[in-house]
Amino acid sequence: MADEKKLHILAPVSGLAMAITDVSDPVFSQKMMGDGFGIEPSDSQIAAPVDGRIIRLTDAS
């Protein structure tokens, strides 16, 4: 199929994927922001989907 397109989805961080209901933040675990999933990071590298800088992260604990 010559017209077939492939979609590549990359995570912004390496780690273990988890159900959204297992995320510690109640806004996400109760799906107030919609459905999704969480990632428990395995390192401190986070990639931005755009050219820019991450200037603030909240404490996950």
Side-chain angles (χ1 to χ4, degrees):
M1 300 186 157
D3 292 68
E4 186 175 314
K5 294 182 181 181
K6 292 184 180 184
L7 176 63
H8 296 277
I9 300 174
L10 304 175
V13 62
S14 296
L16 180 65
M18 67 177 75
I20 193 72
T21 53
D22 293 335
V23 173
S24 62
D25 186 321
V27 172
F28 293 100
S29 65
Q30 294 174 20
K31 300 184 180 181
M32 292 180 204
M33 300 295 291
D35 208 5
F37 63 93
I39 300 175
E40 181 70 37
S42 60
D43 59 33
S44 61
Q45 295 289 324
I46 297 179
V50 296
D51 185 18
R53 296 183 311 154
I54 298 172
I55 58 172
R56 182 175 300 155
L57 293 175
T58 59
D59 185 5
S61 58

